[in-house]
Amino acid sequence: MKRTNFNIFLLLLIFFLAYETIAIKLNYFSFTLYLFSILLISNDFQNDRLINLLTFNYNKILSELAYNNDILKLTNILKNSDININNLKIVALADIIQKENEYFYINKGSKNGIKIKDIVINEDNLIGIIIQVYPKLSKAKYILSSDFEIISIIKETTCVGLSKYLNNNLVFVPIDIYSFEKKIININKPYSVLTYGYYSIPTGIPIGYIYDSNSLNITIKKDLKNSIHTLVLRRL
């Protein structure tokens, strides 16, 4: 009888591990990822303290956190000289708990101050925009998904356009295509694409890089598959 119970337990364990492996690989719901995200950031009081430090005293938190800390890796993006942190609010530290082809979910919601149109970043670039908010959960539109677009600008130029997902590629679409070549003639490749900043979207958040001025395809440095920890930001 004990042997039978052990065999059943072993079979269930193998099934569970197989499901988790497939779920993580195919971006289905993963119990392990969900529990990991809850355990990883579970102290709301500590989170609030870190957010306050990040918002009001960025330099202080840099000196307090160890350099191998995941939160520090996230804040490194804010050292970008194109970002004015005085006009930026860090709404929440959040973990991605479920990934789909065009959307993803984070483990923070309205109780944490998150609102629709807040942006979600990893340590390298923008990865999405919040489109639905629940009390303890939020849904974001992934940057590499159909119908995604955001007003952006090429760094060190006045060239403004849309970063738009077209034909399975994120593409920079200049507003004034005729003056585009003149505006980038003195800029070295790759061209860095940043958020332009409007309404609640902060200015200067990295989106990606353009390596080919003919196609104007944008390559993002770190995509959704390689992202777990995120910051949710809002323009003040």
Side-chain angles (χ1 to χ4, degrees):
M1 185 68 179
K2 289 184 178 180
R3 183 68 181 175
T4 302
N5 290 338
F6 176 78
N7 289 337
I8 293 173
F9 172 77
L10 187 61
L11 183 64
L12 290 174
L13 180 61
I14 293 172
F15 175 79
F16 175 77
L17 292 175
Y19 170 81
E20 287 296 292
T21 302
I22 295 171
I24 292 173
K25 196 162 206 154
L26 299 180
N27 292 333
Y28 295 151
F29 178 80
S30 166
F31 296 101
T32 303
L33 186 61
Y34 179 75
L35 290 173
F36 176 73
S37 67
I38 294 173
L39 293 173
L40 187 66
I41 302 181
S42 58
N43 190 329
D44 288 338
F45 175 79
Q46 182 68 9
N47 286 345
D48 290 341
R49 175 178 175 274
L50 289 174
I51 291 167
N52 287 334
L53 282 171
L54 282 165
T55 306
F56 300 110
N57 200 336
Y58 177 65
N59 291 327
K60 183 177 180 181
I61 196 168
L62 286 181
S63 63
E64 287 187 359
L65 293 173
Y67 276 90
N68 62 349
N69 192 291
D70 291 320
I71 299 173
L72 179 62
K73 292 177 184 177
L74 285 169
T75 61
N76 278 337
I77 194 173
L78 301 182
K79 292 190 292 185
N80 190 316
S81 60
D82 298 288
I83 302 173
N84 184 354
I85 62 172
N86 294 320
N87 293 328
L88 182 72
K89 180 177 182 180
I90 298 175
V91 182
L93 303 166
D95 277 7
I96 297 172
I97 57 174
Q98 185 172 339
K99 303 175 184 179
E100 299 176 359
N101 289 333
E102 299 200 343
Y103 306 96
F104 60 92
Y105 293 84
I106 58 174
N107 63 344
K108 295 296 172 67
S110 58
K111 289 190 175 181
N112 307 100
I114 291 177
K115 298 180 180 179
I116 291 175
K117 296 295 184 183
D118 287 345
I119 67 168
V120 185
I121 65 169
N122 56 33
E123 57 264 38
D124 291 311
N125 47 257
L126 174 74
I127 55 170
I129 298 178
I130 300 295
I131 59 171
Q132 289 182 1
V133 180
Y134 307 95
K136 295 183 179 181
L137 192 75
S138 296
K139 182 179 182 180
K141 179 78 169 174
Y142 181 36
I143 190 171
L144 299 182
S145 63
S146 61
D147 300 325
F148 185 95
E149 61 181 37
I150 188 170
I151 299 177
S152 49
I153 187 169
I154 294 182
K155 184 177 180 179
E156 299 177 359
T157 75
T158 58
C159 187
V160 179
L162 284 177
S163 291
K164 193 169 184 176
Y165 196 71
L166 296 169
N167 300 321
N168 297 319
N169 288 296
L170 187 64
V171 181
F172 182 78
V173 183
I175 291 177
D176 185 0
I177 188 65
Y178 299 105
S179 64
F180 174 73
E181 291 293 339
K182 295 179 182 178
K183 291 179 180 179
I184 64 171
I185 193 169
N186 294 319
I187 306 299
N188 295 324
K189 293 181 183 178
Y191 310 129
S192 178
V193 183
L194 312 171
T195 56
Y196 181 72
Y198 62 100
Y199 297 112
S200 62
I201 308 295
T203 302
I205 302 298
I207 295 174
Y209 297 92
I210 297 174
Y211 293 91
D212 182 0
S213 57
N214 293 317
S215 68
L216 296 183
N217 288 345
I218 301 172
T219 301
I220 64 173
K221 191 172 181 180
K222 190 170 186 178
D223 60 14
L224 182 61
K225 291 181 180 179
N226 298 304
S227 302
I228 296 178
H229 314 301
T230 69
L231 286 177
V232 181
L233 306 179
R234 183 185 308 145
R235 184 182 183 185
L236 295 176

